[in-house]
Amino acid sequence: MEQFHEKILTSEQLDLQAFARDFAEKEVAPVVRECDEKGEFPMAVFKKFCEVGFNTMFLPEALGGQGLGAMDMVVVHEEFAKVDAGFITSATCGEFGIEPILMAGTDEQKQYYMDFILQGGLGAFALTEPNSGSDASATKTIAVKDGADYVLNGRKCFITSGPIADVYSIFATVDPAAGVKGISCFIVERDRPGVSVGRDEDKMGLRLSCTSDVVLEDVRIPAKNLVGAEGKGFGLAMKCLDRSRGVNSYAGVGIAQRALDEAVAYAKQRKTFGKPIIGHQMVQSILADMQIGVTAGRALLWQCAQMVDRGVYDTKLGSAAKTFISDMAMRVTTDAVQILGGYGYSREYPVEKLMRDAKIQQIFEGTNQIQRMVIAGALAR
């Protein structure tokens, strides 16, 4: 795999990849077992993550970031996902949280949100609600204009980094009767009176990533915290998701690559009928299909990243990549468990965790069933 990368990636990208791999193995790997059992985000590791600049690598230079591109990002983030996809999901949540502001915010708003990240804080993207997950247009969180302010009331759920974020991009409706044309985006700081978070979800997988409700009770924010124009929030959220779905599939690729690596290593040393099981045709067939899936998934991921770097956010491509890669990751991790047999089902080996971490990839940022609807709709148009 490294030889393949050397023929495609620039020398700078290869250096970034090695830097990320070294950090993930030295700093993240030692805490994964304990944090997975506890369902805990390792804040001490995140602090080091920020100190060496990973939190600002892919944010604009003009705002204090390092200005690296989407292709650089997926190469770096895959290395973290091989070690733990949950950690990198929460550690980079600020990049997703600030995205609506980068797309539609004022210069003042961009710098204001960015300052939280530059100081080692986190942002979060808060769209999903208890009754509006796949149907994001059914948003019930209300924003009422009151003089020079807005007052927000509502409940967001399954918000990645919800418990640890310093600032949120909240989507709320200013006119419930207007449907999607009433939804707007607001910057809401964590320390505003009336903002609270629910308990951290006790999840099956991705347990180093913290997830919770974000509750808004008569939260008063200044009108300057409105991002873009009233009623433009739904389109903004969809544009953010169009950009992120494909490139955020780095997690599925990283999980699958690690599962393949573990399965191959085990198959080389485990012997049955007088030879390593990698010499048995049935095992070879499973491993070959795993490799095919990972290779195809990475090719799709890199295509999405290259498109984003060119300023192209392709809905159909992003949905196709997200669906293919997450389905592939689930299949590859399940096959890895099968290759390891009883050991694969044991928590003493990493593949059962990889299988748990893979499942959510088929659900968040729009379930794969919704992605198929999106793709079909694009074809129909």
Side-chain angles (χ1 to χ4, degrees):
M1 183 57 65
E2 299 308 316
Q3 292 177 346
F4 170 69
H5 282 188
E6 287 172 5
K7 296 181 184 298
I8 302 295
L9 302 179
T10 66
S11 59
E12 291 82 4
Q13 287 168 337
L14 289 169
D15 287 343
L16 279 171
Q17 184 183 53
F19 180 45
R21 181 185 303 125
D22 183 67
F23 184 94
E25 290 176 351
K26 288 181 178 177
E27 302 292 346
V28 182
V31 306
V32 167
R33 180 69 179 270
E34 180 182 358
C35 289
D36 180 69
E37 289 175 354
K38 291 180 177 179
E40 183 178 275
F41 180 72
M43 287 301 298
V45 177
F46 176 66
K47 183 178 179 182
K48 294 180 182 178
F49 180 90
C50 295
E51 286 171 355
V52 297
F54 281 115
N55 63 322
T56 61
M57 276 186 178
F58 312 108
L59 293 170
E61 256 186 303
L63 298 176
Q66 298 173 53
L68 300 183
M71 187 63 190
D72 305 311
M73 184 195 79
V74 299
V75 169
V76 167
H77 289 181
E78 183 189 335
E79 294 305 314
F80 279 96
K82 289 176 188 175
V83 174
D84 189 84
F87 172 79
I88 193 63
T89 296
S90 265
T92 58
C93 200
E95 294 172 12
F96 193 27
I98 198 175
E99 202 163 300
I101 290 80
L102 294 180
M103 287 186 175
T106 64
D107 289 344
E108 180 185 3
Q109 288 173 334
K110 292 173 186 177
Q111 193 63 65
Y112 179 66
Y113 206 111
M114 184 68 178
D115 284 345
F116 286 98
I117 298 171
L118 291 172
Q119 294 165 18
L122 279 168
F125 184 92
L127 176 65
T128 300
E129 297 182 5
N131 295 307
S132 62
S134 295
D135 181 11
S137 64
T139 295
K140 300 299 182 187
T141 298
I142 300 286
V144 177
K145 190 73 182 296
D146 183 23
D149 298 332
Y150 285 92
V151 179
L152 276 63
N153 281 278
R155 188 182 197 93
K156 299 295 180 177
C157 69
F158 299 127
I159 304 306
T160 302
S161 295
I164 58 174
D166 301 281
V167 61
Y168 306 99
S169 298
I170 298 281
F171 292 85
T173 182
V174 296
D175 182 3
V180 296
K181 294 182 179 180
I183 297 173
S184 304
C185 179
F186 299 90
I187 297 171
V188 179
E189 301 87 344
R190 172 70 178 86
D191 60 3
R192 287 269 173 192
V195 178
S196 62
V197 298
R199 64 177 177 81
D200 196 355
E201 297 287 346
D202 189 9
K203 305 188 299 293
M204 176 174 80
L206 223 65
R207 290 176 58 78
L208 272 71
S209 173
C210 46
T211 309
S212 74
D213 286 0
V214 175
V215 182
L216 307 161
E217 297 176 297
D218 293 327
V219 178
R220 183 173 291 273
I221 60 171
K224 67 179 183 179
N225 282 26
L226 170 68
V227 181
E230 279 193 0
K232 300 298 183 182
F234 183 78
L236 180 58
M238 294 304 104
K239 189 176 181 181
C240 290
L241 289 167
D242 283 345
R243 181 192 182 281
S244 70
R245 280 192 184 110
V247 294
N248 281 354
S249 295
Y250 68 79
V253 174
I255 289 167
Q257 182 65 62
R258 172 72 181 282
L260 173 60
D261 293 344
E262 295 288 343
V264 170
Y266 181 83
K268 286 180 177 179
Q269 59 89 19
R270 168 69 167 151
K271 292 183 178 180
T272 62
F273 305 105
K275 63 179 178 180
I277 64 172
I278 201 167
H280 297 305
Q281 197 170 44
M282 290 295 287
V283 173
Q284 291 174 345
S285 178
I286 296 172
L287 291 172
D289 283 342
M290 292 166 73
Q291 177 65 69
I292 291 167
V294 173
T295 301
R298 184 176 290 109
L300 261 178
L301 174 66
W302 286 9
Q303 183 185 0
C304 285
Q306 289 165 351
M307 294 281 276
V308 168
D309 281 337
R310 289 169 172 78
V312 178
Y313 306 152
D314 187 285
T315 300
K316 188 167 57 176
L317 175 62
S319 291
K322 190 267 184 188
T323 303
F324 178 87
I325 291 170
S326 57
D327 283 349
M328 176 274 294
M330 195 68 232
R331 184 173 62 253
V332 166
T333 55
T334 302
D335 285 343
V337 171
Q338 192 71 18
I339 292 288
L340 270 70
Y343 294 114
Y345 203 64
S346 167
R347 293 200 170 185
E348 291 301 311
Y349 288 76
V351 292
E352 66 83 27
K353 177 186 177 298
L354 293 168
M355 184 177 174
R356 288 189 283 113
D357 289 347
K359 182 58 197 173
I360 190 62
Q361 309 300 320
Q362 296 177 304
I363 297 171
F364 62 7
E365 288 202 37
T367 67
N368 284 7
Q369 287 70 33
I370 290 294
Q371 300 314 311
R372 288 177 166 90
M373 289 171 61
V374 169
I375 294 165
L379 292 172
R381 290 191 294 275

